[in-house]
Every structure is written in structure tokens, then in C-alpha cells.
Amino acid sequence: MLHLRLITPAEKTDDVVRLIEGTIGTAHLCVFPGAARDPAGDVVLCDVAREAGDELLGELKGIGLDASGSIAVENVDLSLSRRADEAEARAPGESADAVLWERLIEATHEESTLSVTYLAFITLATMIAACGVVLDNAVLIVGAMAVGPEFGPLAGVSTAVVRRRPRLALRSVVALLTGFAVAMAVTVGFSFFMDAVGLFSEGRLEADRPQTGFVYAPDWLSFVVAVLAGAAGTLSLTSAKSGALVGVAISVTTIPAAANAAVALSYGDAVQTWGSTRQLLLNLLGITLAGTLTLLAQKHFWAGQHERLHERSGG
């Protein structure tokens, strides 16, 4: 269940209440006239099944409540209520499958912000991966994958395409390109430093690396893995069950490929630099393509569910 806390201008409260009462899957409606002070108005509380949440949020935005009042949404971790159970049973579909588009847009918008923290994470992840490729250490590679924040902007691009949000697309692309550019530039300098103190060497980079050599040797299997990871990551973001996202992060080779390209560039190895760059671009393409197709499939599926919702509500 979702818990909605609404601040409504007095003249819109009746409309808001009618929308809630007319939505299958709602329960626990409470109205507190004049309780809000900033902005002034009434406070309306209700619970709604996750399957019906996106429809109700869209209708509330349709009457301009986001501009004239406030819409706050929280997850209800535990609800001991027969009324809530009945509301969830009446709503079509399963809560774990429901997509809250506004929440997804908000999440990807936040994850796609070009902040100091974002740049720090992607740079540190690339430097860790640089150590991993030089030492041929798979543990360091996995750690770098887990630290990297690049999936946020990739999901932002997919969301922007499906929801037709050009500003979000631009924001995500800028964060992605700037992040990798900064991370790789810093890692080139890091590689020079590590070579100067004797911790990196060209011989290690050029040696046979059975654990990490794949990062500069892209093939169709790399693309397939990226597509599968992109689909899984998108489902993790849109679903109520989001524990799979860490697993997605350590299944693609974006950060390791960027790191190998940076280290190879510092030693003037054009073959590994180009191979790693191809691996990076192939993974970015696969994740974005899979994320977009997954969201389109979910959009189509939930359009059918919303039609059923209208039919069952008589509207």
C-alpha cells in the first residue's frame, strides 16, 4: 500500500475526495478541514493500493493539486487492516509489478544530477577498477562495479525517452558523459602517479590477464549481458522489490572498461584503449536499449491494467 498526504485548497477538497472515493483500491480516507497552514488549506489522507497509485496520482495532478497544494507519497511497510486487504484485492494486477511513473522520474532525476558526490563516486570507482585491471584482480573489479553510480543516468535516458522528457534526457546524458570524462581523465593522472611510484607498470598491463582481459575484448556476449542487466536494473527501479540493483551493478563492465581505457591511454596502448572504449560504448548502448524497451513494455502492460481499473469502477 501507499500512503498519500495531500494539502488541498478548500475549493478543491471536494474534487479530491471524489477522485479518491472513485478510485478502486483506496482505503482509510481522512479529511481535516483547515488543518494546513503552508500552503493554507485542508489536509486529506488516504491509503491506495500500489497498483492503482499511478492512476490516482495522475488524476490529482490533472486537477492541478501539485501546483496549488501538495502531494506526498510514502510506502506503507505494514498495514494491519481488513479494509486495506480488500482494497488491494480489488485493484487489478500485482503490487510488485506496478509502476509509479512520477516516482521513477523523481528517482532518475535525482540520480542524474551532476553533483560533486556523483563525480566523486564515479571517479573513485574508476580508480579502483584501474588497480583491478593492472593487478588482474577480479575482486577489485567487482568492487568498482558496485561503487559506480552510472546506472542512474542510464535509467534517466530510458525514462526520458519513454515519458518524453527532453530535459531529463539532456540532464542524464550530460551527467553520463561528463562523469566518465572526468573519471577517465583523473584515472590517467592516477596511472601516471602509480607508475612513478612503481605500483603500476606497462608490463603488467600488457601481460596475459585471464581475470580482467575481457574488459578490452568486447563481443556479442558482452552486449547480451548488458541488455539483460539493463532490463533487470530497470525492473528493479520500477518494482517494489528493488534488491536486484546491486547485482545489476556488478554484472556490466562500464566502469572497468573506462578504467582500462584510461590506464592504456597513459601508456600509449592504442589497441587496449580502443578495445576498452568499444566495450564501454557497447555496454552503455545495451543497457539504455534494454531499459527503454522494458519501460515501453511496462507502459503498455499497465495501460491495459488501467483500462480494467476504469471498467471495474464503472468509468
Side-chain angles (χ1 to χ4, degrees):
M1 296 289 286
L2 301 172
H3 179 67
L4 271 60
R5 185 182 73 251
L6 313 174
I7 297 178
T8 76
E11 65 273 14
K12 287 190 176 182
T13 300
D14 289 342
D15 293 335
V16 169
V17 170
R18 276 194 294 270
L19 283 177
I20 295 172
E21 291 178 334
T23 300
I24 289 180
T26 58
H28 311 143
L29 174 61
C30 303
V31 180
F32 302 92
R37 294 292 181 267
D38 184 19
D42 305 330
V43 173
V44 178
L45 307 178
C46 74
D47 293 338
V48 59
R50 201 171 190 274
E51 307 93 295
D54 188 67
E55 179 81 2
L56 179 56
L57 291 174
E59 291 177 340
L60 291 172
K61 289 188 66 179
I63 63 173
L65 188 60
D66 56 325
S68 60
S70 170
I71 304 173
V73 183
E74 301 173 350
N75 282 315
V76 177
D77 294 327
L78 178 63
S79 179
L80 303 179
S81 165
R82 179 177 296 178
R83 181 72 181 84
D85 294 340
E86 293 172 350
E88 286 191 314
R90 288 198 304 270
E94 297 294 332
S95 62
D97 299 331
V99 180
L100 295 177
W101 291 104
E102 292 300 328
R103 176 170 288 178
L104 177 62
I105 291 170
E106 181 68 23
T108 52
H109 183 276
E110 182 178 345
E111 293 294 326
S112 301
T113 300
L114 186 60
S115 63
V116 173
T117 301
Y118 170 81
L119 290 175
F121 269 117
I122 196 169
T123 300
L124 290 170
T126 307
M127 293 166 69
I128 293 170
C131 296
V133 297
V134 172
L135 298 175
D136 193 35
N137 188 315
V139 174
L140 291 176
I141 293 295
V142 171
M145 290 176 178
V147 172
E150 74 281 7
F151 191 82
L154 289 170
V157 173
S158 297
T159 303
V161 170
V162 174
R163 301 301 292 179
R164 299 180 182 178
R165 299 291 183 99
R167 289 188 178 180
L168 177 58
L170 179 61
R171 184 189 189 94
S172 300
V173 170
V174 168
L176 197 66
L177 296 181
T178 303
F180 273 112
V182 170
M184 293 174 71
V186 173
T187 303
V188 169
F190 176 69
S191 179
F192 282 131
F193 171 77
M194 295 293 278
D195 182 79
V197 298
L199 297 177
F200 281 9
S201 69
E202 186 173 4
R204 282 185 168 183
L205 181 70
E206 302 296 340
D208 184 34
R209 291 188 279 142
Q211 298 294 320
T212 60
F214 67 92
V215 299
Y216 62 89
D219 54 22
W220 280 109
L221 183 59
S222 300
F223 183 73
V224 170
V225 171
V227 168
L228 295 175
T234 302
L235 287 173
S236 179
L237 285 176
T238 59
S239 171
K241 301 178 180 179
S242 58
L245 193 54
V246 174
V248 171
I250 60 177
S251 63
V252 292
T253 55
T254 49
I255 293 293
N260 200 85
V263 175
L265 183 63
S266 71
Y267 286 114
D269 186 335
V271 173
Q272 286 202 39
T273 299
W274 173 236
S276 301
T277 302
R278 286 171 54 214
Q279 178 76 276
L280 173 60
L281 295 176
L282 195 65
N283 275 268
L284 294 178
L285 175 63
I287 294 171
T288 305
L289 178 62
T292 302
L293 293 177
T294 300
L295 289 176
L296 285 172
Q298 290 180 296
K299 182 180 179 181
H300 175 74
F301 173 77
W302 279 103
Q305 295 288 6
H306 287 160
E307 288 180 4
R308 289 177 54 199
L309 187 65
H310 283 301
E311 290 173 359
R312 293 176 65 175
S313 62

